[in-house]
C-alpha cells in the first residue's frame, strides 16, 4: 500500500516540514490532495512538536520527545501529554479515512490505559491502527512505546465524521 503522504525522516519542526504527495490508488486520498499539509494545520500538534513519520489510511505513526514541560513530578511524561499525542495521531488517521464528500472529524470518546512511564529525554513512539471504520464513526487504537520497546499507554478513541 502506498502512503498518501511521506515526510522526511529527520524533520526538525513539524510546522516547517513540507509534505510530499505520492500517488494513492484509494479514492479517499485523492480528496486530500487539496489539503497536503494536514498535520501542519494542527497548531496543538505543533506546540507539542509531534513528528508524524508515517501516514497511511490503515496506519499512522509519530514520535514525540519527552521534554520537561510535558512532564509531571518525577520527570515522567504527563498523562495528558500522552493522551494528546494519541488524539492527534488518531485524528489524522480518521481524516485519512473520511468518506467521500466529508471534510472533518472530531473526537467523541477517548480511553487511556497507562502501562508505564516515559522519562524526560526519552523518545516515545505512537502507532495508530483502525479498530472500526464506518460511515459515521471510526474507532482507533494507539499504542505508545519507548525506544526500548517498553509499553507506555494504549489509547482507544472514537471519531465522529462531520
Amino acid at each position: 500500500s502506498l502512503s498518501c503522504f511521506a515526510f522526511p525522516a529527520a524533520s526538525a519542526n513539524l510546522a516547517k516540514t513540507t509534505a510530499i504527495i505520492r500517488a494513492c490508488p484509494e479514492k479517499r486520498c485523492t480528496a486530500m490532495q487539496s489539503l497536503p499539509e494536514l498535520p501542519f494545520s494542527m497548531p496543538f500538534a505543533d506546540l507539542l512538536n509531534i513528528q508524524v513519520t508515517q501516514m497511511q489510511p490503515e496506519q499512522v505513526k509519530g514520535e514525540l520527545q519527552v521534554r520537561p514541560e510535558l512532564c509531571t513530578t518525577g520527570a515522567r511524561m504527563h498523562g495528558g501529554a500522552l493522551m494528546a499525542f494519541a488524539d492527534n495521531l488518531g485524528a489524522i488517521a480518521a481524516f485519512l479515512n473520511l468518506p467521500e464528500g466529508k471534510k472533518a472529524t472530531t473526537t467523541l470518546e477517548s480511553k487511556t490505559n497507562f502501562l508505564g512511564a516515559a522519562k524526560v529525554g526519552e523518545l516515545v513512539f505512537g502507532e495508530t491502527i483502525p479498530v472500526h471504520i464506518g460511515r459515521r464513526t471510526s474507532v482507533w487504537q494507539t499504542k505508545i512505546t519507548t525506544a526500548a520497546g517498553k509499553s507506555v499507554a494504549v489509547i482507544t478513541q472514537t471519531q465522529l465524521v462531520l
Side-chain angles (χ1 to χ4, degrees):
S1 149
L2 296 173
S3 295
C4 292
F5 304 103
F7 296 90
S11 169
N13 185 322
L14 184 62
K16 294 182 177 129
T17 305
T18 303
I20 301 165
I21 300 173
R22 291 188 177 173
C24 184
E26 299 189 28
K27 283 185 180 179
R28 15 178 195 242
C29 294
T30 57
M32 294 184 321
Q33 291 179 1
S34 62
L35 295 170
E37 296 190 3
L38 169 66
F40 313 109
S41 67
M42 300 168 70
F44 191 59
D46 184 44
L47 177 70
L48 292 174
N49 199 24
I50 294 171
Q51 304 296 308
V52 178
T53 58
Q54 180 180 333
M55 271 195 331
Q56 297 176 336
E58 67 278 358
Q59 183 182 60
V60 174
K61 290 184 178 182
E63 304 173 350
L64 181 58
Q65 186 72 44
V66 181
R67 307 181 312 274
E69 59 271 23
L70 298 179
C71 290
T72 187
T73 58
R76 302 297 192 260
M77 191 168 183
H78 190 281
L82 288 164
M83 293 167 68
F85 178 38
D87 188 64
N88 278 275
L89 295 180
I92 292 168
F95 184 85
L96 293 174
N97 286 277
L98 283 173
E100 195 169 328
K102 299 296 182 177
K103 297 183 185 336
T105 181
T106 191
T107 305
L108 274 179
E109 177 189 29
S110 185
K111 184 214 184 292
T112 304
N113 289 312
F114 298 106
L115 306 171
K119 302 174 193 167
V120 166
E122 286 188 296
L123 189 62
V124 291
F125 300 90
E127 177 183 6
T128 301
I129 59 169
V131 175
H132 162 78
I133 300 172
R135 288 185 345 228
R136 297 292 299 146
T137 62
S138 58
V139 179
W140 301 90
Q141 183 179 71
T142 302
K143 293 180 182 177
I144 300 176
T145 59
T146 65
K150 179 179 147 194
S151 294
V152 178
V154 175
I155 298 91
T156 303
Q157 71 189 83
T158 304
Q159 295 285 129
L160 176 67
V161 174
L162 299 176

